[in-house]
Amino acid sequence: MKKRTPKRILSALAVFMLLSALVTSCSKDPVAPNEEHNHDDPAKVALLFIKGHYHGTQLHAHDTATVAVRMDGRFIDPNTNALLDKAPVITLEQGSDIYQLQVKFYASDGDLLNGEFLEEAAIHQFFFLPSVSGVLNYVYKDDRVGFTGDFSVLQTGKELSLTASLRHGINKTVQREWNDVKYNTYGSEDFKTVLQLKTVAAGEHDHD
Amino acid sequence: MPLTIAAQNEAVQSSSSIQDTVLLKEIRISGRKEPAPGGLVPVNILSGNALRSRSGQNLAQVLQDVPGVSMIQTGTTISKPVINGLHGNRILVLNNGVKQEGQQWGVEHAPEIDPAIAGTISVIKGAAGVRYGAEALGGVIVLDVPELPFGKRIGGEAGTVFATNGKSFGGGFVLRSGWTNHPEWAWRIQGSGKKSGNFKTADYFLNNTGVREMNFSGEAGFRKGRWLVTAYGSYFSTELGIFSGAHIGDTAELKARIQHEMPFEKGSFSYDIDAPRQEVVHMLYKTTVRYQFNDSSQLELWYAYQEDQRREFDLRRAGRSAIPSLNLTLQTRSAALHWEQRRRSGWQTATGAAASYKANNNQPGTGVVPLIPNYKYMEAGVYGIQRMIRWRYELEAGLRYDHHFLNARGTRPFYRYVNDAGAEVPLNEAGVYVKELYYYGGPRHFHNLSGMLGLRWKPRASWNLSTHFGMAWRPPQVSELYSYGLHHGAASIEYGDSALKGEQGYKWITTLQKQSGRLQLDASLYTQYIGGYIFLQPQRVYEQTIRGAFPVFRYRQTDALLSGLDLTARYRLWPALQYELRTAFIRARDIKHQHYLPLIPADRISHVLQYRFKEGQRINNSYIQLVSAFTARQRRYDPGSDFADPPPAYHLLHLEAGTCICYKQHSIRLFTTVSNLLNTSYKDYLDRFRYFSHGVGRNLQVRISYQF
């Protein structure tokens, strides 16, 4: 029996080598990766300040100032996509006109993504936090989502920043104001940027 | 002589099994000594009532009372065991002898295993790289299934567990039998399941913290003459919610939540599990052939196949919450050959070889750029261990060589900024982004020589002193090599380094044990140097994204030194009253840059006062115990290296009682535990969700099991 020991060990070794060969002889090349891109991240967000006034419910627009933000959160020229070295300053005039802010989210292929947010309007809300209070007023025009809403100027001669934050997972059965300072405690963030604004009196032009 | 050796071994087992104290008048066992799983490395073993009294808990929770073992948590539903300050890919989990192959690279990935499959769970605290291969740097957790009951009649166990916190309920069973007409055959099947809803802290519910689990295992064996052939399989499946209050945007939001110290929206109880959530399935199949030679040696050959499926669902728009944002399938085939001989002269020899092949693939269709690439991984190793056992001392030495091969291939989109003509232009010029795919990865080879040397000295029958020096290593993980971008769960941007090398660890651990008498003692002093320790280094810069600004972390290597003491001391005050002290202290430094290492357990001290009732004819093993568990504040921490300072110290009281009603071969065991008796509000430094919430409040658990 003792003489059989090495033979059995050798047999087991042979089986192990066979198993090891079986185990490791499979392909050494990984499966080709599938191309995925982040559907959830917009590639570009455009914020349009449309100056105008209402006739009934119809907005008569005069002109539009657009701020564009690209995927890395930096400001770009909305027409050429060239990088801007700082946030553009939007000048808002006090008067009978309002400034309708329309926000547009674009995918990397240029498709508009707004529908994805609006179909879940019950859990999405934009908040706008001016750095100086009492200068601006805002009214949601789209069931408190904030993709469309009107700013009006209350005080002139002010330079201020405006934090725009889109939150999801919000419990909207609770009424929350557009400038709720606790905005970053509700749900979680989809988008955030800080705009630079300047308020002037009606007819006063920006010479910067 | 054989009697003495066997009796000593029994003492080692029971003394290490600190959770499973049974007073025995005298034991006389004849036969040969079975070596402890870790050789001369200190081992803590949980079995029998120690496991029954923790049924329904996950692996890390089951082990958390073992000195030197703690757990790193991602909220209440995800916990990973930590041994002497190391976790994840620095410790090994063995499921019936097979290295558990899951997605352990993620701190929010719990081991995909049900502790109920095990008859004993052993925690080996040394660097056991020679016996177990790569990744056994901090220690090894060995889950051994019970032996098959050849020649025995049908027997088994059924149990149930209820808990008030989370309104959880679950149950499990084991059935095992030999075959009366065919004594060479035996089998065992086991199953367990549980369901729990939202957990509650002392003051509020934690939304979306439910868990569902369903697990099975089975084994059948054929034993004839010198041959033993077994087939084993285990199936683990879980669905768990991740606390919704931890879903955060950028760093400003994180800071606001940290300042508030608790969730802004108080939760309510529900069994529902919504995104963010995880679904994990792990399967293991193993076939073993063992042959016993007549020269006290045996040869074992096994082959195993594992499949691990991990799907993680995030809060997403447009119905995409139902599509996993991470969908990984890991398949592992492994084989091992192990020969060992135990001579009557006291010499023991073990030698063997192991090989495995892994294929990890991202399943397409997630709509999210994968965190890690697809990869193939192969490893092979050979080892030899020699042990000499003498009356007063034992010596052990071993050597191992491993070779690993990684071939990864991933892709992620990059955006080139081009003008109308398609030429790349500076960012300050007019242009558009054009998406291009960038492929990364490639082959990498790692190899390593490990060694170990151990000595045990037994000056008296009840005392022994052992010292063990072990080397172990691990290659870098794909996440450490190739991470790139925003890690939502951690609110940070993480970058891997494809040039990282493997970690090399040297652990020296010395243990003093006294295993009988009024005073029993188990003290381990250790120090471990890890060269090339891989960690996430904060870059102290923020990167702007369209979701806000996030801090940047990069995987770096340094040299680390971890030292500590694990101590368990029991003193019998009266025959029925026993006091036990458990402590664990650890000090860990980045010795290259003179910093503290993050996520190192704080000092812990527990006092246990146990009263055992008089043994009756039918009612026995009755006890009641009060546990006072103190966790200090972690003060060894570099300010600014984390989002928040470590939380204050806390103290919890737990009350536990148990009894057994026995009649012939039938027994009913009852265990009742009230953890966090005073409903204390606390935060633990190792809980990654401590930024957002507190730990679990009072929890009454009742466990009943019937054995036959």
Side-chain angles (χ1 to χ4, degrees), chain A residues 25-208:
Chain A
S25 65
C26 307
S27 162
K28 292 178 174 63
D29 295 321
V31 171
N34 195 61
E35 180 189 337
E36 302 274 7
H37 29 106
N38 294 331
H39 287 299
D40 297 321
D41 284 342
K44 177 179 169 181
V45 181
L47 299 102
L48 286 68
F49 286 86
I50 304 167
K51 186 181 179 186
H53 57 270
Y54 283 98
H55 289 286
T57 54
Q58 193 69 34
L59 178 71
H60 277 239
H62 303 312
D63 54 80
T64 301
T66 303
V67 178
V69 182
R70 68 181 191 191
M71 66 187 70
D72 60 2
R74 300 166 83 178
F75 293 100
I76 53 173
D77 185 301
N79 300 314
T80 66
N81 294 328
L83 183 71
L84 304 176
D85 56 0
K86 60 180 182 180
V89 178
I90 303 292
T91 302
L92 307 178
E93 281 185 11
Q94 190 181 32
S96 55
D97 285 338
I98 54 93
Y99 288 84
Q100 183 165 92
L101 174 63
Q102 292 184 4
V103 187
K104 295 180 189 294
F105 283 72
Y106 295 98
S108 54
D109 56 6
D111 284 353
L112 189 65
L113 294 173
N114 284 25
E116 291 192 1
F117 297 94
L118 295 172
E119 71 184 27
E120 293 176 351
I123 59 162
H124 282 100
Q125 186 172 355
F126 248 114
F127 293 93
F128 302 99
L129 276 296
S131 58
V132 184
S133 60
V135 178
L136 297 172
N137 188 40
Y138 178 82
V139 178
Y140 289 103
K141 289 290 190 182
D142 56 358
D143 196 23
R144 277 194 296 133
V145 181
F147 277 60
T148 306
D150 294 344
F151 276 104
S152 52
V153 177
L154 305 178
Q155 280 184 49
T156 59
K158 299 288 182 186
E159 290 183 5
L160 66 156
S161 61
L162 181 75
T163 301
S165 169
L166 175 64
R167 319 279 305 175
H168 79 237
I170 285 188
N171 175 10
K172 288 177 77 175
T173 55
V174 180
Q175 181 88 19
R176 294 193 173 98
E177 295 299 319
W178 60 279
N179 56 354
D180 189 329
V181 292
K182 290 185 176 173
Y183 75 99
N184 62 1
T185 64
Y186 312 133
S188 64
E189 206 145 60
D190 275 331
F191 168 73
K192 187 179 190 176
T193 192
V194 181
L195 305 170
Q196 297 303 318
L197 306 180
K198 188 177 178 180
T199 60
V200 295
E204 191 179 328
H205 296 284
D206 190 354
H207 300 291
D208 289 345

Side-chain angles (χ1 to χ4, degrees), chain A residues 8 12 23 26-29 31 34 36-41 70 72 80-83 116 167 185 187-188, chain B residues 247 253 257 264 291 299 316-318 320 357 364-365 367 369 374 376 378 407 417 427 431 433 544 547:
Chain A
R8 288 197 196 276
V23 161
C26 307
S27 162
K28 292 178 174 63
D29 295 321
V31 171
N34 195 61
E36 302 274 7
H37 29 106
N38 294 331
H39 287 299
D40 297 321
D41 284 342
R70 68 181 191 191
D72 60 2
T80 66
N81 294 328
L83 183 71
E116 291 192 1
R167 319 279 305 175
T185 64
S188 64
Chain B
H247 197 81
E253 187 177 334
R257 288 181 187 237
F264 288 104
Y291 184 81
L299 188 66
R316 301 169 76 184
R317 297 189 308 275
R320 286 195 288 268
Y357 172 87
V369 177
N374 295 341
K376 293 280 174 70
M378 292 172 204
N407 195 4
Y417 195 65
L427 291 171
Y433 279 101
Q544 187 69 38
R547 289 171 187 255

Side-chain angles (χ1 to χ4, degrees), chain B residues 211-402:
Chain B
V211 177
R212 287 172 208 144
E213 213 172 285
M214 192 62 77
N215 314 301
F216 299 98
S217 72
E219 187 174 24
F222 174 82
R223 187 176 70 182
K224 192 163 190 182
R226 298 173 178 278
W227 291 93
L228 172 68
V229 180
T230 60
Y232 168 80
S234 71
Y235 174 89
F236 168 88
S237 69
T238 189
E239 180 183 11
L240 51 92
I242 296 174
F243 173 49
S244 53
H247 197 81
I248 46 169
D250 67 355
T251 311
E253 187 177 334
L254 177 65
K255 283 177 180 166
R257 288 181 187 237
I258 289 169
Q259 209 167 18
H260 197 254
E261 293 193 337
M262 61 176 72
F264 288 104
E265 290 171 1
K266 288 197 175 181
S268 57
F269 180 79
S270 171
Y271 282 114
D272 294 342
I273 299 174
D274 299 316
R277 64 189 175 91
Q278 298 181 356
E279 286 180 4
V280 180
V281 173
H282 191 98
M283 293 168 276
L284 184 150
Y285 306 101
K286 179 190 180 190
T287 305
T288 307
V289 180
R290 191 183 295 162
Y291 184 81
Q292 182 77 46
F293 296 101
N294 62 355
D295 61 351
S296 308
S297 70
Q298 70 172 26
L299 188 66
E300 182 176 296
L301 177 69
W302 59 255
Y303 173 82
Y305 170 79
Q306 292 179 74
E307 186 166 316
D308 187 273
Q309 299 163 0
R310 168 170 288 275
R311 305 203 301 163
E312 297 184 2
F313 301 82
D314 282 333
L315 278 170
R316 301 169 76 184
R317 297 189 308 275
R320 286 195 288 268
S321 290
I323 300 170
S325 43
L326 179 79
N327 190 349
L328 289 166
T329 300
L330 171 65
Q331 294 169 310
T332 307
R333 294 162 179 85
S334 40
L337 178 70
H338 179 76
W339 177 82
E340 65 179 53
Q341 185 176 44
R342 297 178 207 159
R343 298 191 197 95
R344 289 190 177 278
S345 60
W347 286 93
Q348 294 183 1
T349 307
T351 184
S356 78
Y357 172 87
K358 286 188 266 187
N360 195 46
N361 293 317
N362 288 283
Q363 303 305 308
T366 60
V368 174
V369 177
L371 276 174
I372 60 168
N374 295 341
Y375 66 84
K376 293 280 174 70
Y377 198 94
M378 292 172 204
E379 55 184 82
V382 288
Y383 61 90
I385 300 169
Q386 186 66 46
R387 190 170 175 184
M388 183 181 73
I389 301 173
R390 292 289 180 263
W391 174 247
R392 291 283 180 207
Y393 65 92
E394 292 176 37
L395 278 170
E396 185 179 58
L399 214 56
R400 179 184 182 110
Y401 175 76
D402 286 290

Side-chain angles (χ1 to χ4, degrees), chain B residues 36 342 359 550 690:
Chain B
R342 297 178 207 159
F550 294 90
R690 67 187 164 85

Side-chain angles (χ1 to χ4, degrees), chain B residues 131 159 194 253 339 370 443 515 538-539 566-567 581 619 627 648:
Chain B
R131 180 69 184 86
K194 72 174 175 190
E253 187 177 334
W339 177 82
Q515 292 147 356
Q539 301 298 295
D566 300 336
L567 170 74
L581 171 74
I619 299 178
V627 181

